[in-house]
Structures are given as C-alpha cells and as structure tokens.
Amino acid sequence: MTASGGRGHGFAKVYEGMSSDNIKGLILALSSSFFIGASFIVKKKGLKKAGASGVRAGSGGYSYLYEPLWWVGMITMVVGEIANFAAYAFAPAILVTPLGAVSIIISAALAHVILREKLHIFGVVGCMLCVVGSTTIVLHAPQERQIESVKEVWDLATEPGFIVYAVMVTGAVFVLVVHFVPQYGQTHVMVYIGVCSLVGSLSVMGVKALGIALKLTFSGMNQLIYPQTWIFAVFVISCILTQMNYLNKALDTFNTAVVSPIYYVMFTSLTIVASVIMFKDWDGQNPTQILTEMCGFVTILSGTFLLHKTKDMAESSSVSSASRSPKHMVEHGFEQEGIPLRTRESSRATAA
C-alpha cells in the first residue's frame, strides 16, 4: 500500500507539474503524430500509383494530383497538421516538435506491413528509444510563455537574434534550391530534406504565432484586427507550400523509412534552435532541466539513427537479392522504390 501510494503521489506531482495548456498541447501533438505517420504511407502508395502511369514527382511531375489515394493521404496529413497547429498554440515547441517521433514509429510500422519495407529487430529498438526520449522531454518541458497579444509575438520575431537566424536560413535554402537540387536532388536525400527542414523551422514559428492569435481571438481578445496576424498567415502558407513540394520529391525518390527519420531529426533540431532564439524557451529553466531535455532529444536521435541504419541493412539485402534475381527489380510495374540512384548503379556494376 505504501509503495503504491508513493507511486501515485509521484504521478500526481508530474501531472501537477504540467500546466493545463501543456497537457492540451501534449494530447494534440500525439494525435497529430498518429495522423501524420499514417499519411506518409498512404501518400507513398498514391505516389507509386501515379508514377506508374505518369511522370514521377521526383522527376518534376505532378501526376499524383490526379491520384485519389494521394489525396486521401493529403487529407489525413492535413488533419494531423491541424492538430499540430493547435498544439503549438498551447505548448512550447520544445515539447510539441520532438513528439513527432511518434509519427516515425507509426510510419515505420505501417511501411513494414503495407509497403513491405522490412523493419529490422534493431528498428524496433529504435522505436523504443524514440518513446523513451519523448517521455523524458514531456516530463521536463518548460511551461508555455504567457502572451497577451500577437504584437508581442511580432516583437519577438523582429528581435536581432531571430532576424539573423531567419536570414541565414533563407540564404541556405536559396543555395540548396539553385545549386544542389538540380545536381544532387535525385541521389542525396539530404538535399530535399534540407530544404523542407530549414523552411519548416521558420514555418513552425509562424504557425505558433498564428495559433496564439487565434487562441486569443476565440477567448474574446480579437487579434484579427492586427496586420501582424495576416502577415504571419501569408508567411505560414508560403512555407507550407514549399515544404510539401520538396517533401513529395523526397518521398517519391527515397524510401519512406529513410525520409521520415532524417526529416524528423533535421526539422526538430532546427525548430528547437529557432524556438529557443525567438521564444526564449529556456529562460525560466535551470541547467539540469535543459540538460535532461537534451538527453531526451539525443535518445530520440539515437532511435531515429538506428531506424535509418537498420533500414539500410534491409535495403542492402534487397539489392543483393535483386542482383541474383533480376525479376525482383520490378514490382507492380515500376522499379523498386527507396534505393538512391547511385546505389542502384553500384549494384548493377557489382553484378556485372
């Protein structure tokens, strides 16, 4: 009875340590991850079907827009993004963004079952590490900053520190799109994902600003009368359209179980940096709390890295089998997805 009471008291302390806003943000973030994780798989199926009868997205085509299955995945993702949008209005980015690891677990599991993309036993360990890391961050996340007007968010966004970060990100995206995408987009997954992640770190700040404005408006303090609200809205739409374009290219060119973890790692890392700069999430925390959050994040990174490497092991096995039996290189009328072009070329050279 005493031990049970102690455990109950411990859980009560953890629960009391989270504000009501953080709890709402947590629930919304988890719901978002389930929808987004499933959407990756449905969209990938749609991209494959569209690519079999038209120009693939990875080659600059847009035939997937005529594929109903792709739109089902898109709607599922939109539902997840709406939940994610709402989560940022209630909880800090340091809490919400790392919980995207749940979507990696969902997409890896569904890819194993639906897309027949093998998940190694160490991939399961990677999933468990993601869960442990996410739990650590949830239990030690900072409280949401109290903001009373969208003008306060605008002031934070126009401080010198964040302006420098935004300029650096914009410059990096420009270089990637102009120089690296045409030459290396089809062979290096980091190119497409780099554009998505850099733009995504800025879009999250805009989403959080817009979410706060809407939350305040629904609570009776109308923020729609301020031009800053509409500027944030236009900015968010522009960023999301850019992200979706390059994410489609990445999904159509590379394996889902490779794209999802790398995208998560880069996107989350850059978003945490942007949030710390703009919203100063760590100002009210002591070094121990910050270090614990970083340990949780590193645990998640370890899990995603393990998922990535075990997927490479499965791909190497698939390439080896394909070199022995050429008929397996074609599946449902198109080449096996997810193997970068340079890997395919090297496997053919080895076979020769």
Side-chain angles (χ1 to χ4, degrees):
M1 290 294 292
T2 303
S4 176
R7 285 194 297 268
H9 181 66
F11 284 123
K13 285 185 68 177
V14 169
Y15 181 83
E16 290 172 4
M18 295 183 68
S19 66
S20 60
D21 278 353
N22 274 25
I23 293 173
K24 293 175 184 175
L26 171 62
I27 294 172
L28 288 167
L30 290 174
S31 301
S32 169
S33 293
F34 278 105
F35 281 109
I36 292 175
S39 75
F40 270 105
I41 307 306
V42 180
K43 287 178 65 180
K44 182 65 179 280
K45 292 283 286 185
L47 288 168
K48 283 187 172 184
K49 289 186 65 177
S53 58
V55 181
R56 293 173 51 185
S59 300
Y62 295 92
S63 58
Y64 60 85
L65 294 175
Y66 301 97
E67 174 54 51
L69 191 59
W70 183 86
W71 282 107
V72 172
M74 188 64 182
I75 292 171
T76 304
M77 177 171 277
V78 167
V79 172
E81 292 296 349
I82 290 174
N84 196 48
F85 177 93
Y88 281 113
F90 290 98
I94 290 180
L95 170 60
V96 176
T97 308
L99 290 178
V102 176
S103 69
I104 297 176
I105 298 171
I106 298 298
S107 64
L110 291 179
H112 177 75
V113 175
I114 298 175
L115 299 180
R116 298 180 183 177
E117 297 176 356
K118 294 182 180 179
L119 182 62
H120 194 274
I121 183 63
F122 289 125
V124 177
V125 176
C127 291
M128 293 175 64
L129 287 173
C130 289
V131 172
V132 172
S134 298
T135 303
T136 302
I137 290 176
V138 167
L139 297 179
H140 297 87
Q143 300 298 325
E144 171 69 341
R145 184 189 185 105
Q146 295 300 314
I147 295 177
E148 302 298 331
S149 170
V150 72
K151 289 184 175 181
E152 291 183 40
V153 184
W154 182 263
D155 291 339
L156 294 171
T158 53
E159 288 187 355
F162 187 73
I163 289 178
V164 170
Y165 174 80
V167 170
M168 292 175 62
V169 166
T170 304
V173 169
F174 180 80
V175 171
L176 283 172
V177 171
V178 173
H179 179 68
F180 288 95
V181 166
Q183 296 187 42
Y184 305 108
Q186 293 290 309
T187 56
H188 294 72
V189 67
M190 297 294 288
V191 176
Y192 289 146
I193 298 303
V195 175
C196 292
S197 302
L198 287 165
V199 175
S201 69
L202 295 179
S203 71
V204 167
M205 300 303 101
V207 163
K208 187 167 181 62
L210 190 58
I212 290 172
L214 293 177
K215 182 179 74 170
L216 292 172
T217 298
F218 292 143
S219 66
M221 295 181 285
N222 188 10
Q223 304 296 304
L224 301 181
I225 60 175
Y226 299 116
Q228 290 91 336
T229 301
W230 299 103
I231 293 174
F232 282 128
V234 172
F235 178 76
V236 167
I237 292 172
S238 301
C239 289
I240 289 176
L241 290 176
T242 302
Q243 281 181 266
M244 292 307 304
N245 182 39
Y246 285 96
L247 183 58
N248 280 330
K249 292 178 183 294
L251 284 171
D252 192 48
T253 307
F254 302 98
N255 196 297
T256 307
V258 172
V259 171
S260 298
I262 296 177
Y263 180 44
Y264 168 79
V265 171
M266 292 186 66
F267 172 70
T268 304
S269 301
L270 291 168
T271 298
I272 288 176
V273 171
S275 184
V276 168
I277 294 173
M278 180 171 168
F279 288 97
K280 302 172 178 60
D281 292 324
W282 287 342
D283 281 4
Q285 293 197 293
N286 59 49
T288 301
Q289 291 174 310
I290 295 173
L291 183 61
T292 303
E293 290 167 23
M294 288 298 94
C295 287
F297 183 52
V298 170
T299 303
I300 296 175
L301 295 187
S302 301
T304 56
F305 176 78
L306 194 56
L307 275 169
H308 184 198
K309 295 307 292 182
T310 54
K311 194 60 190 177
D312 281 347
M313 292 165 56
E315 289 297 343
S316 298
S317 176
S318 298
V319 170
S320 176
S321 299
S323 65
R324 291 192 300 268
S325 179
K327 67 180 181 179
H328 291 299
M329 286 299 292
V330 177
E331 180 183 45
H332 303 301
F334 47 82
E335 273 196 354
Q336 191 173 10
E337 293 289 335
I339 305 176
L341 296 181
R342 56 180 178 155
T343 304
R344 293 174 184 166
E345 291 167 2
S346 63
S347 67
R348 286 197 291 268
T350 303

